[in-house]
Amino acid sequence: MQRQEARKPLVVGNWKMNGTLGSNEPLLAALRAGLDAALLAGVDVAVLPPYPYLPQVSAWLGETGVSWGAQDVAGHADGAYTGEVSAAMLRDLGCRWVTVGHSERRALLGETSEQVAVKADRTLQAGLLPIACVGETLADREQGLTESVIAAQIAPLARLASVGAPGQLVIAYEPVWAIGTGRTASPEQAQAVHAFIRGRLSAAGFDAASLRILYGGSVKAASAPALFAMPDIDGGLIGGASLIADEFIAICRSAASA
Ligand code: PGA
């Protein structure tokens, strides 16, 4: 099966809570030099710095065709929510993307799948594109619960199909046991879950042919080609390797040539 023309690969660098103004500079300079127009013709690339560095990223990458976004967003439009950042503010800063429901936020901050769907909805309403993260724990997988856990995580997102989201929602499948552990899901394991997600969201009314589903979890330049060769893997959400310019650019090249 060939990947549909409608699904241009997408590689997203999730910087997590890393960086300083100073340390970001050489990374951004290398990305600006290495992610040229020829490469970007074959792959969409985005970086997600911590909020305070969004203006720095926009200054460095603004003219390059690389887009940027945030790692989270408030579930409310505006008002008395101390410490929160709204989707409209992110749009003000030129963001295109927002990840919602990263497993670190689900696990450490107790975010529920319902809250994640509300955040995805806010993101869409502001004209930005949500990347909704899902994934099972090792215990879930060992108990044979992978599909039921993923199904429960994507169920609240399914209602976005009725608010004009088809073609705009991106899903990132990130098995919790593979994030930051150096342990990547095999291409076949990842493909099986991606196909499951595509089937579920297709049944919910999404255009399965255009829905981009990214894999995340210890993706490196060496493991990327085999993952991106799978028919339902449309790119990657990259954590640790996105902080190393050469690794990240090599991952982007793999996606462009998949
Ligand atoms: P990792 O992180 O590539 O460092 O495993 C991926 C993610 O959490 O998005």
Side-chain angles (χ1 to χ4, degrees):
M1 185 169 64
Q2 289 294 309
R3 183 172 296 112
Q4 301 282 329
E5 283 298 318
R7 301 205 304 270
K8 187 178 179 186
L10 169 64
V11 174
V12 180
N14 173 14
W15 290 8
K16 307 196 181 185
M17 198 173 74
N18 293 296
T20 63
L21 280 176
S23 72
N24 296 341
E25 279 207 14
L27 174 58
L28 289 164
L31 296 183
R32 190 161 72 177
L35 297 168
D36 54 34
L39 177 53
L40 296 176
V43 57
D44 289 334
V45 179
V47 295
L48 312 177
Y51 292 133
Y53 301 131
L54 285 167
Q56 183 191 24
V57 167
S58 111
W60 276 88
L61 300 180
E63 307 296 317
T64 61
V66 177
S67 54
W68 56 90
Q71 299 168 17
D72 186 43
V73 68
H76 303 274
D78 54 38
Y81 301 101
T82 302
E84 293 281 82
V85 174
S86 74
M89 294 170 189
L90 297 175
R91 189 184 54 217
D92 255 357
L93 292 169
C95 288
R96 180 165 171 76
W97 308 95
V98 181
T99 46
V100 294
H102 191 281
S103 68
E104 287 151 14
R105 299 193 61 84
R106 291 179 189 259
L108 300 173
L109 300 164
E111 280 193 10
T112 66
S113 295
E114 282 294 333
Q115 290 170 320
V116 171
V118 168
K119 290 181 173 193
D121 201 1
R122 286 274 170 222
T123 302
L124 286 165
Q125 285 178 30
L128 308 182
L129 303 176
I131 302 170
C133 306
V134 300
E136 82 287 4
T137 65
L138 187 57
D140 295 332
R141 179 163 280 269
E142 287 175 349
Q143 290 168 61
L145 297 175
T146 299
E147 289 193 351
S148 60
V149 166
I150 304 280
Q153 289 173 338
I154 60 178
L157 293 167
R159 68 167 176 255
L160 297 175
S162 62
V163 297
Q168 299 191 293
L169 178 69
V170 173
I171 300 287
Y173 168 57
E174 300 200 303
V176 177
W177 48 272
I179 295 177
T181 59
R183 199 175 152 190
T184 316
S186 72
E188 294 74 20
Q189 282 174 321
Q191 164 60 27
V193 178
H194 282 230
F196 174 76
I197 293 169
R198 195 177 307 283
R200 279 292 169 130
L201 286 175
S202 169
F206 284 84
D207 174 17
S210 64
L211 178 71
R212 290 192 283 193
I213 306 176
L214 313 183
Y215 172 78
S218 295
V219 177
K220 303 281 183 276
S223 56
L227 287 161
F228 296 161
M230 291 289 140
D232 285 297
I233 299 183
D234 305 312
L237 180 55
I238 317 300
S242 73
L243 300 171
I244 306 164
D246 289 351
E247 277 280 315
F248 187 64
I249 293 166
I251 292 167
C252 295
R253 281 192 198 292
S254 294
S257 58

